[in-house]
Amino acid sequence: MSATVVPGASIKPEKKPVKFSNLLLGAGLNLFEVTTLGQPLEVVKTTMAANRGDSFAGALTRVWGRGGVLGYYQGLIPWAWIEASTKGAVLLFVASEAEYYAKSFGASDFTGGISGGIVGGVAQAYATMGFCTCMKTVEITRHKVAAAGVKPPGTFATFMDIYRKEGIRGINKGVNAVAIRQMTNWGSRFGLSRLAEQGIRKATGKEEGGRLSALEKIVASGLGGGLSAWNQPIEVIRVEMQSKTEDPKRPKNLTVGKTFRYILANNGVKGLYRGVTPRIGLGVWQTICMVGMGDLAKEAVEKLTGDKVTAKH
């Protein structure tokens, strides 16, 4: 005898398992993205945010002057690699749980997805991204000392020096700004991408929920990634809080609010959007890697692990 479905009864959401193959796929794609164009764009973005009088061309020249091609890869090893290989796992675990519980309280797929992205983004910041972004910024800004003819200490020596002087708080400086950035970034990226997908389906005559082609997915996710750069002010605030540049006018013991007022007073509203161009480029490149190359990576991971990849990309 078949089970009777009661009209109006709530359907319990299914908790999706987090597979090793999904984590491997995410880590592999993130590592590829950051090792190719990702870190150079990150360095240029951070340089513009820290030196708010620089144009895009001026930032490129400044970075080149700090080490030629290698100047664009400052902070890649180990900090960007640690961040890239762990942030996907943290997001997948936490976002999956958050989305499940949101849906269990009656949230729609759209709302559940955004909730998962927001909570996952905050978890990323406090679990791994706080100290990684802090050390990447230190790497990028401290090399100005080398340009003045003084040999800077090594990466781990700098890390230990900050830890001895300031403890956990020192190596996680700016983590609250990172959390706000990740929360708004993932929430808006998921939401804007879904809106773009709906628009593409209407324009191409596809039914609701119809499968998009690889190019259509890249366009939708690229729009979501690019437009999510609206929160660039919090990224500039994050860089200023973590920067090792010396400025006697800068307040001590910076908070998000103090940093916002300091940048606004010295550089105006334009200062809060320095580095937005490379940030948009970074969002588009991440999309191409995650979506455009996702299927190829998916096949490779399935062959390697013998496990079917279920992660969406």
Side-chain angles (χ1 to χ4, degrees):
M1 186 177 173
S2 60
T4 306
V5 178
V6 180
S10 60
I11 300 171
K12 189 177 179 181
E14 181 186 355
K15 184 180 282 193
K16 297 171 186 174
V18 177
K19 296 183 177 181
F20 171 72
S21 55
N22 291 355
L23 301 181
L24 186 62
L25 175 67
L29 287 171
N30 274 311
L31 282 167
F32 174 81
E33 174 268 315
V34 76
T35 308
T36 49
L37 279 178
Q39 190 61 13
L41 287 166
E42 178 73 25
V43 169
V44 175
K45 177 192 74 173
T46 302
T47 299
M48 291 182 73
N51 303 277
R52 290 180 289 278
D54 284 3
S55 64
F56 183 67
L60 293 175
T61 304
R62 185 188 289 270
V63 174
W64 183 267
R66 291 204 299 258
V69 173
L70 294 179
Y72 290 95
Y73 287 92
Q74 290 171 96
L76 176 66
I77 301 171
W79 311 116
W81 276 6
I82 293 172
E83 182 185 326
S85 59
T86 56
K87 69 180 182 181
V90 172
L91 180 69
L92 197 59
F93 271 117
V94 179
S96 177
E97 288 293 308
E99 184 174 357
Y100 169 76
Y101 284 108
K103 287 182 179 178
S104 70
F105 284 108
S108 65
D109 287 347
F110 179 74
T111 306
I114 290 179
S115 301
I118 289 172
V119 178
V122 171
Q124 276 184 329
Y126 289 108
T128 61
M129 289 186 71
F131 78 90
C132 285
T133 56
C134 183
M135 291 310 301
K136 282 193 300 180
T137 305
V138 167
E139 280 285 289
I140 293 164
T141 54
R142 79 184 178 94
H143 274 259
K144 293 168 191 173
V145 179
V150 181
K151 186 179 179 180
T155 295
F156 287 107
T158 304
F159 178 85
M160 290 309 298
D161 185 51
I162 295 171
Y163 182 72
R164 278 192 296 267
K165 289 179 181 175
E166 303 175 60
I168 295 292
R169 289 184 69 177
I171 59 173
N172 276 285
K173 195 175 288 180
V175 69
N176 291 334
V178 176
I180 296 169
R181 184 195 72 179
Q182 290 302 102
M183 177 179 72
T184 54
N185 187 49
W186 280 110
S188 59
R189 183 175 286 203
F190 282 5
L192 291 167
S193 294
R194 296 297 173 270
L195 287 174
E197 285 173 6
Q198 289 173 12
I200 289 170
R201 287 192 182 96
K202 284 180 181 177
T204 56
K206 288 185 173 73
E207 60 183 23
E208 185 67 32
R211 189 177 177 83
L212 298 178
S213 68
L215 180 61
E216 287 169 340
K217 282 194 285 186
I218 288 173
V219 170
S221 299
L223 284 169
L227 292 173
S228 64
W230 64 267
N231 65 355
Q232 181 63 10
I234 197 65
E235 174 67 356
V236 175
I237 289 168
R238 188 273 302 173
V239 170
E240 187 61 41
M241 291 178 75
Q242 296 174 341
S243 175
K244 284 294 176 185
T245 53
E246 295 295 331
D247 183 355
K249 296 179 184 176
R250 185 164 57 185
K252 302 294 182 186
N253 303 317
L254 285 173
T255 62
V256 173
K258 280 184 186 177
T259 311
F260 172 77
R261 289 190 291 273
Y262 164 72
I263 294 169
L264 197 62
N266 285 276
N267 305 101
V269 175
K270 276 184 75 175
L272 291 165
Y273 285 90
R274 300 306 294 163
V276 71
T277 303
R279 172 118 188 259
I280 291 171
L282 183 59
V284 172
W285 177 241
Q286 287 172 338
T287 299
I288 290 170
C289 290
M290 296 297 173
V291 180
M293 300 175 189
D295 287 327
L296 293 173
K298 195 174 173 182
E299 288 175 18
V301 168
E302 285 178 345
K303 284 179 183 177
L304 182 67
T305 62
D307 191 13
K308 187 171 178 61
V309 176
T310 56
K312 294 180 179 179
H313 55 265

